[in-house]
Amino acid sequence: MRNEQLENALHLVRQTFADDPSYIPDGVTVWNTDRLIHPRIYSNKYRSTSPAQANIQTMIDEPFYMGDVIPWPDHGYWLCVNSNNLHRIQWEGTLTFCNYTVKFFSPLTNEIVEYPVSLINSTQYGSGETERYDDKIHMIIGTSQMIMYISFDEHTRLIDSGFRFLIDRNLENPTAFEVKQADMVSYSDSGDKGYIHLTVAESPFDPKRDNKELMIADYVFDPVGTGEELKEKTDMWI
């Protein structure tokens, strides 16, 4: 009886799936893959404390996974934060809006890569600044914190504490952020899929090593001549 009901439900989904107004007939290619899916995406929910969320459905033979970044035509990129195979009838899940794109040097290849990410301001009350005094100087230091959700893959799995990003829409005076915690486990599917929870805190922008034109932190790896360059340029030895 149960198998018959499942077969009937699967048949009904196949017959009616494309009739829904939210169906995307031309399909979309999952970001950074060659997987083409034809989803329904609907219920774009505004949230005042975090990026918007939406629901997604696909036919059973077009799976999507937690950590996938899915383009929604005319609506930008969306990170899949939940994916569920519904009784082998169809796939259902939840998307969160990617409100920023970060650029950085891959820890794996040392090449520049870009990732759509979902950012949440996690600064707890206050102004996001703190004052520091000593005998000679008075400084105001930024203490803003953010949570970044980014897809898990061979590049991002190597991000660890101390890694820095430039995150800002102010391209003249951008803000740098440093990773304080990289949680690779909480949003894993226990395999090679999922996404990463990065806790990042404001870090001083350094014009000697950060490139605001490209919006890449640590673009220059030896900004003050610490001696690392001598390992490869032995003709500089004295």
Side-chain angles (χ1 to χ4, degrees):
M1 175 67 78
R2 181 176 184 275
N3 288 340
E4 182 179 347
Q5 290 177 338
L6 290 175
E7 284 296 326
N8 290 338
L10 179 59
H11 178 75
L12 179 62
V13 168
R14 285 174 173 165
Q15 293 298 314
T16 62
F17 193 84
D19 296 338
D20 194 279
S22 64
Y23 178 72
I24 303 175
D26 293 333
V28 296
T29 301
V30 178
W31 179 82
N32 209 26
T33 77
D34 57 2
R35 287 187 284 123
L36 179 68
I37 60 176
H38 298 78
R40 295 171 172 173
I41 304 178
Y42 58 95
S43 297
N44 184 354
K45 300 176 182 176
Y46 169 75
R47 302 171 61 154
S48 61
T49 58
S50 61
Q53 288 196 339
N55 298 320
I56 181 172
Q57 297 175 336
T58 60
M59 297 287 287
I60 193 62
D61 57 350
E62 293 187 348
F64 58 89
Y65 306 103
M66 190 165 62
D68 279 349
V69 174
I70 298 172
W72 184 1
D74 301 322
H75 291 78
Y77 287 103
W78 296 70
L79 175 69
C80 178
V81 296
N82 180 50
S83 174
N84 179 39
N85 181 331
L86 183 64
H87 307 301
R88 298 192 299 275
I89 297 173
Q90 65 184 29
W91 288 86
E92 296 184 343
T94 306
L95 308 176
T96 189
F97 180 59
C98 293
N99 51 4
Y100 196 75
T101 299
V102 292
K103 298 171 65 175
F104 56 93
F105 281 104
S106 163
L108 178 66
T109 65
N110 201 33
E111 296 178 345
I112 296 174
V113 293
E114 298 184 28
Y115 282 74
V117 298
S118 187
L119 289 168
I120 301 172
N121 189 328
S122 61
T123 304
Q124 295 298 310
Y125 310 104
S127 64
E129 295 181 335
T130 187
E131 298 189 41
R132 192 181 78 182
Y133 296 87
D134 60 27
D135 294 338
K136 298 182 179 179
I137 192 169
H138 168 217
M139 298 177 63
I140 297 178
I141 300 174
T143 57
S144 297
Q145 295 186 27
M146 303 189 82
I147 293 171
M148 178 191 297
Y149 295 118
I150 186 170
S151 297
F152 177 91
D153 65 16
E154 69 274 16
H155 301 281
T156 58
R157 69 182 181 85
L158 299 177
I159 294 174
D160 207 344
S161 297
F163 200 92
R164 295 172 70 251
F165 301 95
L166 295 187
I167 303 173
D168 211 328
R169 295 173 68 183
N170 180 353
L171 304 183
E172 296 303 316
N173 186 29
T175 303
F177 285 83
E178 179 180 330
V179 174
K180 296 300 182 182
Q181 181 188 38
D183 181 356
M184 306 278 174
V185 177
S186 294
Y187 303 98
S188 166
D189 70 346
S190 74
D192 61 352
K193 307 293 185 183
Y195 59 99
I196 303 168
H197 175 138
L198 298 177
T199 302
V200 298
E202 188 172 343
S203 171
F205 175 82
D206 186 347
K208 292 183 178 179
R209 60 174 175 160
D210 300 331
N211 188 319
K212 68 179 183 180
E213 284 74 26
L214 296 178
M215 287 299 288
I216 299 176
D218 294 327
Y219 187 80
V220 179
F221 293 100
D222 192 35
V224 293
T226 58
E228 289 297 314
E229 74 279 9
L230 297 181
K231 293 180 180 179
E232 297 181 359
K233 298 180 181 180
T234 55
D235 57 330
M236 296 176 63
W237 291 356
I238 297 177

